[in-house]
């Protein structure tokens, strides 16, 4: 059974990241800066799955101003190294960016900029990069905020972007769940994985 826990809202009034219910364990704030919060997430396919969420209601990281972008990059670097220390490997990182110009065909479940950091590495990463038409980029500034995209940082820290992919909601989660062997449990609206959320909170709080 699946529950409509989150609203795919295009306005601040509807947005679950702008109206966080702090009584929910999956909304435990693990870290906070001037412009971002860091949370565990429903649908934690593995222990060590967090979100970096913009406090400002924007649609994608291409809309970050310079101050926000500097903070964002610092958080990415911080948690890449922290995950490597805690779990023995660098995580993968991705964002389904939504264009304000094309919301209807967006692949993001929640229309508010949030980036996934996951304690997971694809065994077939080169195939994933090829399949999704990823192209390597150097900086966050290279992201085109006027297009729907997937932004991806690989285990070795290389940054990629694709604008040419199937507009399937939770596409990266589907690929992760498939490789983990439980493709039927990819949907965070149906499978919360509370145990993994609790373990993530305990480990990061330490």
């Amino acid at each position: 059974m699946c529950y409509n826990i989150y609203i795919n809202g295009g306005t601040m009034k509807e947005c679950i990241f702008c109206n966080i219910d702090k009584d929910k364990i999956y909304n435990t704030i693990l870290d906070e800066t001037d412009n971002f919060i860091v949370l565990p997430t429903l649908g934690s396919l593995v222990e060590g799955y967090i979100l970096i969420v913009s406090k400002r209601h924007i649609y994608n990281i291409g809309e970050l101003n310079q101050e926000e972008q500097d903070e964002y990059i610092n958080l990415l670097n911080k948690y890449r190294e922290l995950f490597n220390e805690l779990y023995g490997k660098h995580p993968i990182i991705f964002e389904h960016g939504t264009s304000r110009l094309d919301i209807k065909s967006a692949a993001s479940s929640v229309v508010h900029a949030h980036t996934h950091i996951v304690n997971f590495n694809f065994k077939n990463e080169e195939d994933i990069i090829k399949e999704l038409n990823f192209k390597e980029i150097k900086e966050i500034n290279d992201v085109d905020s006027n297009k729907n995209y997937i932004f991806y940082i690989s285990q070795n820290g290389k940054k990629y972007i694709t604008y040419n992919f199937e507009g399937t909601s939770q596409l990266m989660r589907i690929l992760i769940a498939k490789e983990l062997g439980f493709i039927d449990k990819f949907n965070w609206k149906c499978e919360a994985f509370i145990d993994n959320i609790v373990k993530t909170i305990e480990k990061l709080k330490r």
Side-chain angles (χ1 to χ4, degrees):
M1 179 178 180
C2 297
Y3 300 90
N4 186 22
I5 301 169
Y6 282 179
I7 299 172
N8 187 13
T11 68
M12 291 177 64
K13 184 177 180 180
E14 299 170 320
C15 177
I16 52 84
F17 288 139
C18 293
N19 301 278
I20 287 180
D21 181 353
K22 294 182 180 179
D23 291 332
K24 304 297 185 184
I25 191 168
Y26 50 81
N27 285 332
T28 300
I29 295 179
L30 300 168
D31 199 353
E32 184 172 6
T33 64
D34 289 343
N35 297 293
F36 297 91
I37 55 174
V38 178
L39 308 168
T41 181
L42 280 170
S44 289
L45 298 168
V46 294
E47 177 192 336
Y49 194 143
I50 62 175
L51 301 178
I52 297 177
V53 181
S54 169
K55 289 183 179 178
R56 188 161 64 94
H57 187 79
I58 56 176
Y59 286 25
N60 61 68
I61 62 169
E63 296 183 18
L64 297 176
N65 61 39
Q66 190 59 56
E67 177 186 346
E68 291 167 333
Q69 190 176 120
D70 291 344
E71 273 188 31
Y72 178 74
I73 292 170
N74 286 338
L75 283 170
L76 292 182
N77 291 335
K78 173 181 178 177
Y79 282 97
R80 282 193 78 248
E81 295 310 315
L82 182 57
F83 271 48
N84 186 45
E85 178 183 334
L86 294 175
Y87 297 110
K89 63 178 182 290
H90 288 103
I92 60 168
I93 299 171
F94 62 90
E95 181 220 8
H96 285 269
T98 302
S99 167
R100 292 179 182 268
L101 306 178
D102 190 15
I103 298 174
K104 290 184 178 179
S105 61
S108 179
S109 297
V110 182
V111 184
H112 179 128
H114 60 287
T115 300
H116 304 242
I117 300 182
V118 190
N119 174 32
F120 176 81
N121 296 150
F122 287 111
K123 295 177 182 177
N124 58 337
E125 186 177 60
E126 290 184 3
D127 293 338
I128 298 294
I129 289 171
K130 183 177 180 180
E131 177 184 344
L132 298 185
N133 301 299
F134 276 116
K135 304 297 181 185
E136 189 173 354
I137 59 174
K138 297 299 182 183
E139 306 292 341
I140 304 297
N141 286 333
D142 295 332
V143 173
D144 186 346
S145 65
N146 293 318
K147 298 178 181 178
N148 292 323
Y149 64 81
I150 299 176
F151 171 64
Y152 178 69
I153 302 180
S154 64
Q155 178 188 11
N156 61 13
K158 289 186 178 181
K159 301 178 183 69
Y160 296 88
I161 196 81
T162 180
Y163 306 101
N164 182 19
F165 60 96
E166 185 178 353
T168 301
S169 179
Q170 305 186 60
L171 178 57
M172 295 299 290
R173 289 179 51 82
I174 291 171
L175 296 174
I176 294 170
K178 182 178 180 180
E179 193 160 306
L180 289 172
F182 42 79
I183 183 63
D184 57 321
K185 296 184 178 181
F186 79 90
N187 189 348
W188 58 262
K189 296 178 183 179
C190 305
E191 301 287 346
F193 292 101
I194 295 296
D195 286 349
N196 285 339
I197 293 172
V198 171
K199 290 176 183 177
T200 297
I201 292 171
E202 290 175 347
K203 181 155 286 190
L204 267 64
K205 286 290 189 181
R206 289 203 300 268

